[in-house]
């Protein structure tokens, strides 16, 4: 299957640019290029690769000014008729990269009402989910529908009361998504987010017709092996492995002295809590922080596995691609009170990085949520071209009331890429869950939360990885959350890739 993955990616890059110096980068496909999202999912460098177009988000939140907190984030739609409630109505070309829903009937606190919501999706004028009858959210996400296997889909049972689909659905001419009127139940609160990539006019895409072809299924199998199955064991290929014994206060190094792309960083030790790691690439410090913090495993994270990170208590794995033009070095410091022995394993590619990947940058911080109605900014980039690729965020609300602490999760994510605004519906919605994760922790390939901890305070670890839905920007980027609970601490690391000027 690995050879199939490489073959599929080679086909795409032949159409849209390869690694040669005279090749056209994938991001430069502006009207005369093929964009196949199923094939792209099998690209191991996808998080680092510059993609064409711009990410957009259709959501149930009403439009509002960047400042202030309205929290009018449910039951807002594109339009309503006697027969349908339209959620998305756009022209192509483009590709839906993520669909997320939740809801409840507030009178009885009934969350099961969402199981019966019937979704319709028309691509290029043809209904593709269950035909004219549509399909219930429960049917769509149970994992039994061809082309929609788990964990590429998740229901309320596996997404803590959320429904999520991350199978790509491309459209050439148009896309319309709607649900039947009326919504099941009485006065149901309905929330949704549909992430989609708007592609340059003239881009050719394989329009999704509801039934994946044999090549689509092969591509999804390859992507499953790459992003899901591979997490259960170290990657194969060129590796550098070192066992280090670090005295208190000492530092050890692991170096790679040639152009390559780091595919996997794995650290194993009896205890990883007191290790600090600086990653230096081409003389630039990518990150210098506590190991568990920037590898998606900060306390109180429980063991989990995802597409780009995993944690097993005595081992942590980081899989964001790290392109290296000249050399790279890991500097591991022991900040504990006892000697530490650990094994560091670095899997990398045999070739220099291609032209259309960026340079990884990791920014970590611990801002306090500002005054009610203001926004807390996590990642601000000015005067630089690049794309945003992911985030780990542990919300810490050390307050007298546990439920008041959870109120901090009401903060919608508001993203500004070159001034274009993306508006979310709640912090836990961005991370794939719903209603304060009351159904407990969960871990999906691209999003999750390891749970809510604390008696009189809240600590909520959350993560989100982006593959086909990385957010590109030319000059400026600002990822923010609304402040619903001033004084809450947003302990985060944000992951983005810097690109050379166009």
């Amino acid at each position: 299957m690995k050879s199939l993955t490489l073959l599929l990616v080679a086909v795409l890059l032949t159409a849209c640019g390869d690694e040669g110096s005279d090749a056209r980068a994938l991001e430069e496909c502006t009207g005369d290029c093929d964009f196949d999202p199923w094939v792209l999912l099998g690209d191991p460098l996808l998080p680092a690769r510059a993609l064409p177009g711009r990410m957009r988000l259709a959501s149930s939140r009403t439009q509002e000014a960047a400042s202030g907190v309205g929290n009018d984030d449910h039951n807002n739609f594109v339009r309503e008729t006697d027969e349908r409630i339209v959620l998305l109505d756009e022209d192509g070309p483009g590709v839906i990269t993520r669909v997320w829903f939740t809801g409840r009937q507030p009178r009885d606190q009934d969350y099961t009402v969402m199981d019966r919501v019937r979704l319709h999706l028309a691509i290029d004028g043809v209904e593709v989910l269950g035909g004219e009858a549509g399909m219930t959210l429960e049917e769509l996400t149970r994992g039994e529908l061809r082309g929609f296997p788990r964990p590429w889909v998740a229901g309320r049972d596996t997404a803590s009361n959320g429904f999520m689909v991350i199978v790509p659905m491309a459209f050439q001419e148009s896309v319309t998504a709607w649900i039947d009127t009326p919504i099941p139940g009485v006065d149901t609160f309905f929330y949704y987010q549909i992430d989609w990539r708007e592609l340059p006019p003239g881009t050719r895409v394989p329009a999704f017709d509801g039934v994946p072809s044999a090549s689509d299924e092969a591509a999804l199998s390859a992507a499953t092996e790459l992003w899901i199955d591979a997490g259960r064991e170290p990657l194969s290929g060129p590796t550098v492995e070192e066992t280090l014994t670090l005295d208190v206060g000492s530092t050890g190094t692991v170096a790679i002295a040639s152009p390559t792309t780091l595919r996997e960083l794995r650290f194993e030790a009896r205890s990883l809590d007191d290790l600090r790691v600086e990653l230096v690439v081409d003389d630039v410090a990518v990150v210098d922080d506590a190991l568990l913090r920037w590898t998606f495993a900060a306390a109180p994270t429980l063991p989990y596995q995802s597409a780009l990170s995993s944690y097993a208590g005595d081992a942590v794995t980081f899989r964001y691609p790290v392109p290296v033009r000249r050399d790279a070095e890991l500097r591991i410091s022991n900040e504990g009170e006892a000697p530490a022995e650990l094994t560091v394993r670095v899997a990398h590619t045999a070739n220099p990085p291609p032209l259309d990947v960026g340079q990884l940058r990791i920014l970590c911080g611990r801002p306090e949520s500002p005054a009610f109605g203001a926004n807390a900014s996590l990642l601000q980039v000015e005067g630089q071209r690049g794309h945003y690729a992911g985030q780990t965020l542990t919300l810490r609300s050390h307050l007298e009331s546990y439920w008041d602490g959870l109120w901090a999760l009401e903060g919608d994510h508001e993203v500004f890429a070159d001034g274009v605004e993306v508006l979310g519906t709640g912090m836990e919605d961005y991370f794939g869950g719903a209603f304060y994760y009351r159904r407990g922790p969960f871990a999906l390939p691209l999003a999750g939360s390891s749970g809510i901890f604390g008696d009189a305070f809240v600590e909520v670890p959350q993560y989100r990885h982006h593959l086909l839905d990385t957010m590109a920007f030319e000059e400026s980027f600002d990822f923010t959350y609304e402040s619903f609970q001033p004084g809450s601490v947003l302990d985060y690391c944000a992951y983005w890739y810097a690109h050379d000027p166009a």
Side-chain angles (χ1 to χ4, degrees):
M1 188 61 71
K2 291 177 181 176
S3 60
L4 175 58
T5 300
L6 295 176
L7 175 60
L8 290 169
V9 173
V11 170
L12 178 70
L13 296 182
T14 297
C16 294
D18 56 26
E19 299 180 13
S21 60
D22 60 346
R24 185 175 46 162
L26 181 59
E27 63 174 327
E28 295 174 350
C29 298
T30 55
D32 184 24
C33 189
D34 297 320
F35 186 95
D36 190 330
W38 293 72
V39 171
L40 265 176
L41 279 177
D43 179 1
L45 303 186
L46 181 55
R49 204 176 288 279
L51 299 178
R54 181 182 294 276
M55 282 308 303
R56 301 191 49 196
L57 176 64
S59 78
S60 55
R61 171 176 156 162
T62 186
Q63 293 291 319
E64 63 184 49
S67 61
V69 177
N71 203 33
D72 185 7
D73 55 7
H74 63 277
N75 292 17
N76 294 296
F77 310 111
V78 174
R79 62 180 178 273
E80 298 183 56
T81 70
D82 292 339
E83 297 180 349
R84 64 177 60 177
I85 298 172
V86 179
L87 314 178
L88 174 72
D89 191 14
E90 298 288 347
D91 294 330
V95 56
I96 294 175
T97 59
R98 174 184 181 261
V99 176
W100 171 90
F101 298 99
T102 195
R104 64 187 173 94
Q105 202 285 313
R107 185 180 61 185
D108 303 318
Q109 295 300 308
D110 180 10
Y111 300 96
T112 67
V113 65
M114 291 298 293
D115 297 345
R116 303 185 296 278
V117 170
R118 189 165 291 274
L119 177 67
H120 301 257
L121 182 67
I123 288 181
D124 296 348
V126 178
E127 290 199 42
V128 298
L129 292 180
E132 294 183 358
M135 184 172 295
T136 67
L137 297 186
E138 191 276 332
E139 291 170 333
L140 177 62
T141 60
R142 71 169 62 139
E144 299 175 0
L145 183 65
R146 180 180 172 187
F148 292 83
R150 290 192 170 185
W152 296 98
V153 299
R156 290 189 307 106
D157 57 333
T158 54
S160 202
N161 268 335
F163 295 85
M164 189 156 54
V165 176
I166 56 174
V167 174
M169 293 173 280
F171 52 97
Q172 187 69 59
E173 301 296 335
S174 64
V175 62
T176 306
W178 70 93
I179 59 175
D180 289 340
T181 301
I183 303 174
V186 179
D187 298 326
T188 297
F189 286 9
F190 181 86
Y191 304 76
Y192 76 93
Q193 294 183 8
I194 302 177
D195 296 85
W196 62 284
R197 179 172 289 279
E198 182 181 28
L199 294 169
T203 303
R204 296 180 295 272
V205 299
F208 183 68
D209 64 4
V211 180
S213 65
S215 62
D216 290 339
E217 291 189 302
L220 191 60
S221 294
T224 299
E225 181 175 355
L226 175 64
W227 302 117
I228 299 169
D229 297 341
R232 300 186 177 94
E233 59 185 33
L235 294 179
S236 59
T239 60
V240 173
E241 186 169 323
E242 298 282 352
T243 298
L244 305 175
T245 300
L246 302 178
D247 293 329
V248 175
S250 67
T251 299
T253 62
V254 176
I256 294 179
S258 61
T260 184
T261 300
L262 311 184
R263 290 275 317 285
E264 177 183 85
L265 307 177
R266 182 176 176 85
F267 304 83
E268 296 183 54
R270 180 174 298 177
S271 175
L272 299 166
D273 295 343
D274 298 319
L275 298 178
R276 184 183 185 94
V277 176
E278 181 182 14
L279 171 59
V280 179
V281 176
D282 301 332
D283 297 326
V284 175
V286 174
V287 65
D288 183 5
D289 214 311
L291 170 65
L292 293 182
R293 188 180 186 204
W294 65 266
T295 56
F296 294 83
T301 296
L302 297 172
Y304 77 98
Q305 178 185 316
S306 72
L308 296 175
S309 61
S310 62
Y311 176 59
D314 60 351
V316 64
T317 304
F318 179 83
R319 284 201 172 99
Y320 276 70
V322 185
V324 178
R325 305 296 178 182
R326 297 188 306 275
D327 52 42
E329 186 174 75
L330 288 162
R331 301 168 185 168
I332 305 102
S333 301
N334 178 11
E335 297 186 338
E337 298 180 355
E341 182 175 302
L342 71 149
T343 298
V344 182
R345 185 180 187 275
V346 180
H348 59 98
T349 61
N351 301 314
L355 299 177
D356 63 340
V357 298
Q359 295 84 47
L360 179 63
R361 301 289 183 262
I362 304 174
L363 177 66
C364 301
R366 293 186 179 90
E368 285 193 1
S369 192
F372 184 85
N375 278 20
S377 180
L378 272 62
L379 176 62
Q380 273 189 317
V381 181
E382 293 288 344
Q384 171 69 62
R385 183 168 163 267
H387 69 263
Y388 166 79
Q391 180 183 141
T392 175
L393 172 63
T394 300
L395 173 68
R396 306 184 192 277
S397 293
H398 297 270
L399 304 170
E400 293 183 2
S401 169
Y402 180 78
W403 292 108
D404 283 349
L406 287 173
W407 183 243
L409 289 166
E410 290 290 339
D412 301 341
H413 75 286
E414 298 187 358
V415 183
F416 305 87
D418 299 324
V420 178
E421 189 177 32
V422 169
L423 302 175
T425 57
M427 183 180 292
E428 78 271 42
D429 306 349
Y430 170 73
F431 293 104
F435 297 113
Y436 305 164
Y437 306 117
R438 286 174 179 167
R439 290 197 71 167
F442 69 101
L444 295 171
L446 301 184
S449 171
S450 60
I452 299 175
F453 299 79
D455 295 323
F457 60 87
V458 173
E459 293 184 291
V460 188
Q462 304 155 106
Y463 67 88
R464 173 90 180 261
H465 309 307
H466 293 254
L467 293 179
L468 288 168
D469 55 348
T470 53
M471 300 181 187
F473 52 92
E474 292 296 321
E475 296 181 352
S476 65
F477 183 81
D478 193 8
F479 192 111
T480 74
Y481 287 104
E482 292 176 323
S483 177
F484 266 80
Q485 186 59 68
S488 299
V489 176
L490 305 178
D491 192 342
Y492 77 94
C493 290
Y495 305 80
W496 65 287
Y497 288 86
H499 292 276
D500 295 332

